[in-house]
C-alpha cells in the first residue's frame, strides 16, 4: 500500500509515515484537533525510485565531496531535476488521487490541502534542524497535488539535507520520505508553541503568534508576538507584542499563498486573546504527556477553532548555562533572546550571500534574516543577530543547534550597527551592548560545586571526545573520565594512521596521541581517566587523507572496527600502547586502558600479550574492556579470568546488537529501547558477576546520561556511571536520590524484621 489515512497510523509508524505523519496520527487518535488527511508512505517514494528506474542514477549523483560548495549545489540541482522530470508510475499516482478524491468528497467539494514532507528521521528526539524538508500550502486540484508531491520528494536532496546526512553518517540509500496531505486550515492567526523553553528547558510554555498563516513565523519574515506562560497555573508571565507588518494568506482569487500588508489597526494589536492562550497551553500539556518529551507545536486558528498542524520533539534544550554575571550598562538594541550566552565580537553585516566570506571566526554576524545558505558562516560566527524572526525562525533554530548566542527580531540591527563595530550580545535576554564587556557565565555544574557537590558512593564520571573539552569537563566535579574516545583525536590528524606508519613517522603519531591524552589526564589528575583504544568505523577512516585503502562495508558499525582492527593491524595497536607507555613513564598513573568491541576472551589474551611486549606492567596499570556485545556479556565470567580490572557498558552498541536494530536506520529506530528487558537482564548479569569477582563496573554509553536508567543501574550495584559533560549534575542528583532510597528501604526492612 502506497498511501494510508492519517488516522490509521501512530507514533510507532515512523518508518511508514515519517515523523510528522506518525505524530499527527497519534494526536488524532488521542482526540486532539488535527485536520484530516492522508499520507503518501515512504514505501511509495521507494517504489517510485525503483519502478521508474532512476534509483542508481540518483544515488550516483550524490557521490560527491560535500565540503565543495560547487559540487554540493550541482548535486542538488541534478537530483531535483531527475525527480521533477520523472513520471510517477500510474499505480502510485492512482492511489494518491483516489485518496484525494475521497477527502474532497468527505469535505463536500474540492479542497485546498497542505502538502508537507515527512522525512522518516526528522522528528525523532535527536534529529537536527537540517534534516527537515519542504511544505507547500494552498494546493488544489489533482495536477497541483502531484506536482507538490514530487517537490516534497525532491526536497530530500536539498544541499543542506545532503550535507547533513553525510556529516551524520546517514546512508542516502536508506533515507526515506513520506508526504502528508492535509486539509488546509485557512488561518486567521497562527504560530508555534514550545512546551518548555527551547534553550534552557525551563518548565514554561512559550507561544509565538502572528496574523494569517504560520509560514511567516517559520520564514522569519515577521517578528511575532511572544507570550510566556506558567504551564501549571496558566498565568501569563510575560507578553511582548511586536509590530506585525506583513501577513501570509491564501489569495481569495487565485488560491496562491501570498504576503500582504497587515491592516493598520492590527499591526500592534495582540494576535491572541487570553482564552486562546490558555487553550493552547492546555493542548500543549496534553501533547507533552503523550510524548513524555518537550514539544515544538505548530498551530492555527480558523473561525475561532484551534487546529494542531504538527508536533515534534524539541532537540535544542541545553540547560547548562544558568547563571550569568549581570551587565549594568544600557543596551543599544533589544530583540528576542533565541539562544543563550554572552559574547563580544566584531560586527559583520550580511546583505547578500556574497558577504558570507567576510565572516571570520569570532565575529558577530548581523543580517536581516538568515537562510540555509548561510550556515557555514554561522558556524564561524561567535554570535548572530537578525532584524526579523522569532524563536522558530531559521537563525534561532540553527543557533541553538550550534550552541551559538543569538538574538532575533531586533528590528534595526542592520541599520544601527556598522561593519567593524565591537558589540556584546546577551543571547538569553536579547540585549545588545556597545563595546566589549567581559562577563562570566557559570555552568550548572559550577553552581553545584560552589554549593558543595553531592557526595555519592557510586562514582559519577564524565565522557570526553575532544581534549580541548577537558577543562570544562573537570569543572563539573566529576569523579574521573569514564570514557576518553581516542579516535576523535586521530580523525582530526592531517593523515590516516597507516600513512604515518608507511612514511616512517610513527613516533610523530605516538606523540600526537600522548599530547591529546595528557591534556585530559592533567585536567583530572589524580582522578582516573579510562582511555578507549581506537574504535572508528572504516567509513570515518576512509575520509582521512591516506584513507583511500579502507574497505567499503555495507554496515561499518558491524564491521572492521575496535579490537578486531587492532588485532589485524598490530603495528597500529603497538603504537597506541607505546603512547600509553610514554604516559606511564611520565608519571600519569591515573590513565587506564580500555579495549572496545570485545566478543571473545581470546581477543583479550592476544591484546594483553602485545601490551606486555610493549613494556606495560599490567599489575601497575588499570585496564579493562567495553561490554558492547551480547557475547561479551554472556561470557563475562571467562573474560574476568583474563585479569581485567574493570568493564564499562557501551549501551548504544549493546542495545542495537541485542535487539538487532541499526539505530541509524529510521525504519526501526523507534524500537531502540534502553529499558528493553533483554538489555537490562544482560547488564544486571554482568554487574552481578563482576561484583562477585571484585571487578569494577561502569557505563559510558548514552544510558549513562539518562537519570532514569542510571537509577536502575545503581539499584543493580554498578560502581560508577559516566555521563556527557552537560549531564553530570543531573546524573549525580539521580544517583544520590536512588542511594538514599535504597538506604531507607533497607532500614525499613530491618525495622520490620526486628519487629
Amino acid at each position: 500500500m502506497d498511501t494510508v489515512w492519517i488516522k490509521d497510523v501512530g507514533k510507532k509508524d515512523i518508518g511508514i509515515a515519517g515523523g510528522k505523519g506518525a505524530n499527527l496520527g497519534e494526536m488524532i487518535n488521542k482526540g486532539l484537533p488535527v485536520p484530516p488527511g492522508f499520507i503518501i508512505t515512504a514505501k511509495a517514494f521507494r517504489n517510485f525510485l525503483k519502478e521508474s528506474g532512476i534509483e542508481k542514477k540518483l544515488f550516483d549523483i550524490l557521490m560527491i565531496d560535500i565540503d565543495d560548495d560547487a559540487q554540493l549545489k550541482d548535486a542538488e540541482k541534478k537530483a531535483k531535476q531527475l525527480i521533477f522530470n520523472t513520471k510517477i508510475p500510474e499505480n502510485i499516482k492512482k492511489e494518491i488521487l483516489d485518496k484525494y478524491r475521497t477527502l474532497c468528497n468527505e469535505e463536500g467539494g474540492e479542497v485546498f490541502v497542505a502538502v508537507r514532507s515527512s522525512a522518516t528521521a526528522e522528528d525523532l528526539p535527536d534529529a537536527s534542524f537540517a534534516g527537515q524538508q519542504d511544505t507547500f500550502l494552498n494546493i488544489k486540484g489533482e495536477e497541483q497535488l502531484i506536482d507538490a508531491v514530487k517537490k516534497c520528494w525532491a526536497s530530500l536532496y536539498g544541499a543542506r539535507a545532503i550535507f547533513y546526512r553525510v556529516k551524520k553518517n546517514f546512508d542516502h540509500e536508506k533515507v526515506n520520505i513520506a508526504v502528508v496531505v492535509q486539509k488546509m486550515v485557512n488561518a486567521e492567526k497562527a504560530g508555534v508553541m514550545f512546551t518548555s523553553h527551547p534553550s534552557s528547558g525551563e518548565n514554561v510554555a512559550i507561544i509565538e503568534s502572528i496574523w494569517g498563516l504560520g509560514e511567516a513565523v517559520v520564514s522569519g519574515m515577521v517578528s511575532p508576538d511572544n507570550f510566556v506562560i506558567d504551564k501549571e497555573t496558566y498565568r501569563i508571565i510575560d507578553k511582548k507584542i511586536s509590530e506585525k507588518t506583513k501577513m501570509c494568506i491564501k489569495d481569495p482569487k487565485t488560491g496562491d499563498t501570498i504576503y500582504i500588508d497587515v491592516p493598520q489597526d492590527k499591526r500592534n494589536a495582540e494576535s491572541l486573546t487570553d482564552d486562546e492562550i490558555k487553550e493552547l497551553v492546555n493542548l500543549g500539556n496534553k501533547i507533552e504527556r503523550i510524548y513524555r518529551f518537550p514539544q515544538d507545536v505548530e498551530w492555527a486558528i480558523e473561525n475561532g477553532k484551534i487546529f494542531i498542524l504538527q508536533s515534534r520533539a524539541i532537540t535544542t534544550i541545553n540547560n547548562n548555562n544558568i547563571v550569568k554575571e549581570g551587565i549594568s550598562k544600557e543596551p543599544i538594541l533589544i530583540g528576542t533572546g533565541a539562544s543563550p550566552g554572552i559574547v563580544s565580537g566584531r560586527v559583520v553585516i550580511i546583505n547578500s550571500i556574497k558577504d558570507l566570506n567576510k565572516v571570520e571566526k569570532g565575529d558577530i554576524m548581523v543580517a536581516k534574516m538568515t537562510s540555509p545558505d548561510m550556515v557555514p558562516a554561522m558556524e564561524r560566527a561567535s554570535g548572530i543577530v537578525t532584524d526579523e524572526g522569532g524563536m522558530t525562525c531559521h537563525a534561532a533554530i540553527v543557533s541553538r543547534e550550534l550552541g551559538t548566542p543569538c538574538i532575533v527580531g531586533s528590528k534595526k540591527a542592520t541599520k544601527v550597527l556598522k561593519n567593524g563595530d565591537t558589540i556584546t550580545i546577551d543571547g538569553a535576554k536579547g540585549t545588545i551592548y556597545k563595546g566589549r564587556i567581559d562577563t562570566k557565565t557559570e555552568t550548572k555544574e559550577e553552581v553545584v560545586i560552589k554549593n558543595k557537590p553531592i557526595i555519592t558512593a557510586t562514582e559519577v564520571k564524565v565522557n570526553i571526545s575532544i581534549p580541548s573539552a577537558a577543562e570544562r569537563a573537570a569543572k563539573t566535579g566529576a569523579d574521573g573520565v569514564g570514557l576518553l574516545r581516542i579516535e576523535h583525536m586521530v580523525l582530526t590528524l592531517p593523515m590516516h594512521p597507516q600513512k604515518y606508519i608507511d612514511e616512517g613517522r610513527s613516533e610523530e603519531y605516538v606523540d600526537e596521541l600522548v599530547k591529546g591524552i595528557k591534556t585530559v589526564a592533567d585536567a583530572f589528575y589524580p582522578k582516573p581517566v579510562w582511555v578507549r583504544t581506537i574504535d572508528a568505523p572504516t567509513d570515518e577512516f576512509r575520509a582521512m587523507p591516506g584513507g583511500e585503502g579502507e574497505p567499503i562495508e555495507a554496515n561499518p558499525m558491524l564491521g572492521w572496527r575496535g579490537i578486531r582492527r587492532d588485532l589485524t593491524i598490530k603495528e597500529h595497536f603497538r603504537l597506541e600502547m607505546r603512547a600509553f607507555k610514554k604516559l606511564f613513564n611520565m608519571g600519569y598513573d591515573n590513565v587506564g586502558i580500555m579495549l572496545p568491541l570485545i566478543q571473545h576472551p581470546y581477543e583479550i589474551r592476544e591484546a594483553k600479550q602485545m601490551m606486555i611486549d610493549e613494556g606495560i606492567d599490567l599489575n601497575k596499570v588499570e585496564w579493562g574492556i567495553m561490554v558492547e556485545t551480547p557475547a561479551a556479556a554472556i561470557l563475562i565470567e571467562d573474560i574476568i579470568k583474563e585479569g581485567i580490572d574493570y568493564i564499562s557498558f557501551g549501551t548504544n552498541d549493546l542495545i542495537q546488537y541485542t535487539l538487532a536494530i541499526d539505530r541509524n536506520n529510521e525504519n526501526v529506530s523507534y524500537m531502540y529501547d534502553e529499558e528493553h528487558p533483554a538489555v537490562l537482564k544482560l547488564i544486571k548479569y554482568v554487574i552481578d558477576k563482576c561484583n562477585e569477582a571484585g571487578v569494577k563496573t561502569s557505563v559510558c554509553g548514552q544510558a549513562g546520561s539518562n537519570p532514569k536508567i542510571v537509577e536502575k543501574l545503581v539499584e543493580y550495584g554498578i560502581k560508577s556511571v559516566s555521563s556527557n559533560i552537560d549531564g553530570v549534575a543531573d546524573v549525580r542528583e539521580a544517583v544520590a536520590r536512588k542511594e538514599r532510597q535504597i538506604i531507607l528501604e533497607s532500614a525499613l526492612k530491618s525495622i520490620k524484621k526486628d519487629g
Side-chain angles (χ1 to χ4, degrees):
M1 184 179 291
D2 291 316
T3 61
V4 64
W5 293 107
I6 296 174
K7 62 183 175 61
D8 292 332
V9 299
K11 61 184 178 184
K12 290 188 176 181
D13 296 311
I14 290 173
I16 299 169
K20 192 178 282 100
N23 284 348
L24 289 170
E26 186 74 21
M27 289 189 291
I28 281 180
N29 289 306
K30 298 291 185 184
L32 288 157
V34 174
F38 63 94
I39 297 163
I40 302 159
T41 66
K43 180 186 173 186
F45 172 64
R46 191 57 56 184
N47 288 342
F48 161 70
L49 295 182
K50 289 179 179 177
E51 293 177 26
S52 63
I54 65 169
E55 191 172 29
K56 185 178 185 306
K57 188 174 181 181
L58 174 64
F59 297 131
D60 285 347
I61 289 171
L62 304 177
M63 298 296 290
I64 59 165
D65 175 4
I66 61 162
D67 293 314
D68 184 321
D69 286 344
Q71 286 190 44
L72 193 59
K73 289 176 181 176
D74 186 56
E76 173 185 23
K77 181 180 178 182
K78 288 178 178 176
K80 287 185 173 182
Q81 281 181 343
L82 181 62
I83 291 172
F84 289 150
N85 297 335
T86 302
K87 287 186 177 181
I88 298 178
E90 283 303 317
N91 59 316
I92 300 175
K93 183 177 178 180
K94 181 180 183 303
E95 198 170 324
I96 294 170
L97 295 181
D98 283 347
K99 281 282 195 303
Y100 178 62
R101 290 164 189 152
T102 301
L103 178 65
C104 290
N105 289 336
E106 289 175 350
E107 296 298 321
E110 196 170 46
V111 295
F112 284 93
V113 292
V115 182
R116 305 175 186 273
S117 303
S118 181
T120 52
E122 68 176 351
D123 294 321
L124 297 175
D126 61 346
S128 164
F129 68 89
Q132 297 170 22
Q133 275 68 53
D134 291 344
T135 291
F136 302 93
L137 305 178
N138 292 311
I139 302 299
K140 186 177 183 181
E142 296 180 1
E143 188 176 330
Q144 275 195 16
L145 174 60
I146 293 299
D147 186 54
V149 170
K150 289 172 77 172
K151 286 179 180 177
C152 283
W153 285 345
S155 73
L156 194 59
Y157 303 105
R160 183 171 60 138
I162 296 169
F163 181 88
Y164 164 76
R165 284 196 292 274
V166 173
K167 286 294 184 184
K168 293 291 184 180
N169 294 318
F170 282 117
D171 186 340
H172 289 302
E173 297 187 29
K174 292 182 180 178
V175 175
N176 267 348
I177 187 169
V179 177
V180 176
V181 179
Q182 207 173 10
K183 183 188 174 186
M184 185 74 198
V185 176
N186 193 21
E188 297 133 18
K189 52 183 85 172
V192 296
M193 169 172 53
F194 296 105
T195 64
S196 288
H197 194 291
S199 294
S200 68
E202 185 182 355
N203 192 34
V204 294
I206 296 177
I207 297 173
E208 294 192 328
S209 62
I210 54 168
W211 302 112
L213 302 176
E215 182 68 14
V217 175
V218 179
S219 68
M221 180 165 287
V222 178
S223 296
D225 293 343
N226 181 282
F227 305 90
V228 181
I229 307 99
D230 184 313
K231 288 163 58 177
E232 295 182 4
T233 65
Y234 295 86
R235 180 175 66 88
I236 299 170
I237 300 169
D238 188 37
K239 289 183 182 182
K240 289 180 182 175
I241 308 305
S242 298
E243 183 181 13
K244 300 166 286 294
T245 57
K246 295 286 183 181
M247 62 190 295
C248 183
I249 66 164
K250 179 178 74 178
D251 189 319
K253 294 180 180 178
T254 65
D256 293 338
T257 303
I258 59 170
Y259 280 93
I260 63 169
D261 292 334
V262 173
Q264 200 66 41
D265 62 334
K266 283 189 170 185
R267 289 192 172 193
N268 294 293
E270 290 187 29
S271 51
L272 286 176
T273 66
D274 287 0
D275 286 343
E276 288 170 336
I277 290 170
K278 289 174 183 177
E279 188 178 349
L280 278 167
V281 174
N282 183 47
L283 290 170
N285 287 341
K286 288 180 180 178
I287 296 169
E288 190 173 89
R289 284 196 292 271
I290 291 171
Y291 293 104
R292 300 180 183 178
F293 200 91
Q295 296 289 299
D296 170 358
V297 181
E298 291 183 22
W299 55 269
I301 298 177
E302 180 180 10
N303 297 325
K305 182 178 179 181
I306 295 175
F307 292 93
I308 301 299
L309 306 180
Q310 181 176 330
S311 183
R312 56 178 169 256
I314 299 174
T315 62
T316 55
I317 291 174
N318 176 2
N319 57 10
N320 198 41
N321 293 334
I322 60 168
V323 179
K324 297 182 181 68
E325 181 181 303
I327 298 176
S328 58
K329 65 189 295 185
E330 287 294 313
I332 55 174
L333 281 172
I334 298 176
T336 299
S339 182
I342 299 175
V343 292
S344 300
R346 177 182 70 117
V347 169
V348 176
I349 297 174
I350 304 300
N351 293 312
S352 72
I353 297 297
K354 294 177 182 177
D355 296 328
L356 293 178
N357 289 333
K358 297 177 183 177
V359 179
E360 297 177 1
K361 191 171 182 180
D363 288 341
I364 292 179
M365 177 175 159
V366 179
K368 185 172 183 180
M369 177 40 61
T370 65
S371 64
D373 291 341
M374 297 182 181
V375 170
M378 294 172 75
E379 289 181 318
R380 295 193 296 273
S382 65
I384 295 164
V385 178
T386 68
D387 288 351
E388 301 295 343
M391 294 287 280
T392 52
C393 70
H394 179 267
I397 295 172
V398 174
S399 296
R400 289 195 292 270
E401 289 282 347
L402 296 174
T404 302
C406 175
I407 296 170
V408 297
S410 68
K411 293 297 183 188
K412 48 189 179 181
T414 56
K415 296 182 177 66
V416 171
L417 302 175
K418 299 287 186 291
N419 278 312
D421 285 352
T422 297
I423 62 170
T424 298
I425 70 171
D426 185 334
K429 295 178 181 175
T431 46
I432 302 168
Y433 305 88
K434 187 176 182 180
R436 184 177 298 276
I437 303 172
D438 293 325
T439 62
K440 176 175 173 53
T441 298
E442 292 180 327
T443 67
K444 183 175 183 178
E445 292 82 4
E446 289 174 322
V447 174
V448 171
I449 291 168
K450 188 180 285 185
N451 295 328
K452 295 184 180 179
I454 303 165
I455 304 299
T456 57
T458 308
E459 292 183 330
V460 178
K461 298 178 180 177
V462 66
N463 299 330
I464 297 179
S465 297
I466 306 167
S468 59
E471 187 176 342
R472 177 177 168 237
K475 288 179 180 177
T476 65
D479 298 316
V481 177
L483 172 64
L484 173 57
R485 300 176 177 94
I486 204 171
E487 62 268 11
H488 288 270
M489 303 176 208
V490 174
L491 293 171
T492 57
L493 294 177
M495 59 185 175
H496 191 285
Q498 190 60 45
K499 195 170 174 64
Y500 279 99
I501 295 170
D502 293 343
E503 294 185 1
R505 298 166 64 183
S506 295
E507 281 308 307
E508 188 179 330
Y509 176 69
V510 169
D511 288 343
E512 289 287 354
L513 296 181
V514 169
K515 182 173 69 174
I517 298 170
K518 181 179 178 294
T519 300
V520 182
D522 277 331
F524 279 86
Y525 195 85
K527 295 176 181 179
V529 175
W530 291 353
V531 185
R532 185 179 68 189
T533 57
I534 201 155
D535 191 29
T538 51
D539 54 334
E540 292 183 8
F541 269 124
R542 195 182 313 117
M544 297 184 74
E548 299 81 7
E550 288 287 330
I552 296 174
E553 299 178 311
N555 189 338
M557 294 301 288
L558 288 170
W560 191 45
R561 51 174 282 223
I563 194 67
R564 53 193 65 166
R565 172 186 279 269
D566 279 334
L567 296 182
T568 308
I569 307 180
K570 296 182 180 179
E571 178 60 22
H572 178 262
F573 184 70
R574 291 183 183 279
L575 294 182
E576 290 180 280
M577 293 308 111
R578 285 173 204 167
F580 284 114
K581 183 67 163 54
K582 276 194 173 186
L583 287 161
F584 299 144
N585 289 341
M586 293 163 68
Y588 289 97
D589 54 2
N590 63 326
V591 172
I593 303 171
M594 191 154 58
L595 307 175
L597 213 66
I598 295 294
Q599 54 89 22
H600 196 284
Y602 80 79
E603 296 169 322
I604 303 171
R605 282 195 293 275
E606 194 171 343
K608 183 168 68 171
Q609 188 56 55
M610 282 194 282
M611 291 159 73
I612 293 169
D613 291 344
E614 291 300 325
I616 294 174
D617 186 347
L618 296 180
N619 293 316
K620 296 181 179 178
V621 173
E622 275 201 323
W623 67 286
I625 69 155
M626 297 284 293
V627 174
E628 301 159 285
T629 65
I634 293 166
L635 295 176
I636 191 62
E637 289 181 282
D638 296 319
I639 287 171
I640 288 170
K641 292 174 185 175
E642 298 300 324
I644 61 172
D645 298 304
Y646 59 82
I647 68 95
S648 185
F649 294 104
T651 53
N652 300 7
D653 279 338
L654 184 60
I655 293 166
Q656 71 172 348
Y657 297 152
T658 302
L659 305 183
I661 290 170
D662 176 357
R663 66 180 188 269
N664 290 330
N665 183 337
E666 57 282 344
N667 294 317
V668 294
S669 57
Y670 70 91
M671 297 174 69
Y672 184 84
D673 184 5
E674 291 178 330
E675 297 183 73
H676 192 286
V679 176
L680 294 179
K681 196 167 185 178
L682 285 173
I683 289 174
K684 187 176 187 306
Y685 175 75
V686 172
I687 292 173
D688 287 344
K689 294 302 177 184
C690 286
N691 285 345
E692 288 172 14
V695 171
K696 296 177 185 177
T697 53
S698 187
V699 58
C700 60
Q702 191 61 35
S705 298
N706 182 337
K708 185 178 178 183
I709 301 299
V710 164
E711 288 190 14
K712 271 191 191 298
L713 298 178
V714 172
E715 186 179 324
Y716 291 165
I718 202 162
K719 299 307 178 189
S720 71
V721 294
S722 193
S723 161
N724 297 332
I725 295 173
D726 56 4
V728 170
D730 289 336
V731 168
R732 194 180 288 281
E733 287 177 12
V735 168
R737 184 167 53 248
K738 189 63 182 180
E739 288 179 347
R740 287 195 297 269
Q741 181 186 341
I742 291 169
I743 292 169
L744 180 60
E745 289 175 353
S746 177
L748 290 173
K749 282 181 183 177
S750 180
I751 292 169
K752 189 174 181 181
K753 183 179 178 182
D754 294 341

